[in-house]
Amino acid sequence: MAPEHFELLEEARRSLPDGFKVELSGDTITMMVSPSGIHQHNLLVVRRQFDAHTPAGLLPSENTDLISPNVGKSRNPDLTYLPDDALATTDNQVPAELAAIAVELVSPSNPENDWVGKVRDYPLMGIPLYLLVDAREKTVTLFSRPDGARYHRREDIAFGETMRVPEPFGFELVTGDLLPC
């Protein structure tokens, strides 16, 4: 990551009011406002299921900055699971390649960030699984099998269906309680 980009990113983080988060992808800084009630509800529905199937050694983390300086990316997923020791730090950033999954709930105000930018960035950052919940479309999508450039597998289901989440979680994600917006 270019030092001037990192400095700009840090300045944006310091100057934003509470309730905002910031991400960097290449030369683009994206600032987002706090999520809605439906967003929070859906995140909790998904998180409870992941928490029940998380293997020992991984912890959930919401809104943790995942960084990949070598590819110039800093992303902040709604939910991720990281090794215990990765969170034993006072730093607010974690190397992205440590994440077992990134979970995003599509922002109605900026869906391209989740559907385009993060589908492009997460495999570059070494994140093996990307789960995308889109309340606008009432769909859940799982991207997997990255090769360092892109994901090679995509599975889509509608709200109300179930989806197999692969190891290290290994469970059927139930989507019947997700709310549309």
Side-chain angles (χ1 to χ4, degrees):
M1 184 179 307
E4 63 272 13
H5 290 157
F6 185 74
E7 291 169 14
L8 189 57
L9 182 66
E10 287 304 308
E11 179 59 32
R13 285 186 177 129
R14 282 192 298 274
S15 63
L16 285 174
D18 286 343
F20 279 81
K21 63 182 184 176
V22 63
E23 298 177 335
L24 174 69
S25 178
D27 292 334
T28 303
I29 292 179
T30 304
M31 295 176 230
M32 292 153 283
V33 68
S34 295
S36 70
I38 288 175
H39 178 281
Q40 290 303 99
H41 168 89
N42 288 346
L43 181 60
L44 288 173
V45 166
V46 170
R47 179 172 172 177
R48 285 180 180 154
Q49 294 179 67
F50 271 91
D51 285 352
H53 298 93
T54 299
L58 290 179
L59 291 174
S61 186
E62 294 182 17
N63 293 308
T64 296
D65 290 332
L66 301 179
I67 62 164
S68 289
N70 56 328
V71 294
K73 311 285 183 201
S74 174
R75 290 298 199 162
N76 187 292
D78 293 315
L79 175 65
T80 189
Y81 285 80
L82 297 160
D84 296 352
D85 59 349
L87 294 172
T89 179
T90 57
D91 200 0
N92 63 351
Q93 305 175 104
V94 174
E97 65 273 7
L98 298 178
I101 190 170
V103 178
E104 297 285 2
L105 284 79
V106 173
S107 169
S109 64
N110 190 8
E112 295 80 21
N113 188 40
D114 298 313
W115 276 111
V116 178
K118 292 178 182 179
V119 170
R120 176 195 63 232
D121 290 351
Y122 284 158
L124 293 171
M125 296 170 76
I127 300 172
L129 301 170
Y130 175 30
L131 185 76
L132 190 54
V133 178
D134 192 336
R136 302 164 315 129
E137 300 295 326
K138 300 180 234 125
T139 61
V140 177
T141 302
L142 178 65
F143 294 93
S144 61
R145 296 182 36 212
D147 67 1
R150 67 182 188 91
Y151 289 110
H152 287 275
R153 182 176 171 113
R154 174 181 170 160
E155 181 181 355
D156 297 279
I157 63 168
F159 281 14
E161 298 177 340
T162 61
M163 171 184 282
R164 181 77 184 158
V165 176
E167 297 299 333
F169 303 98
F171 73 99
E172 296 293 325
L173 178 69
V174 178
T175 66
D177 290 334
L178 295 174
L179 299 176
C181 62

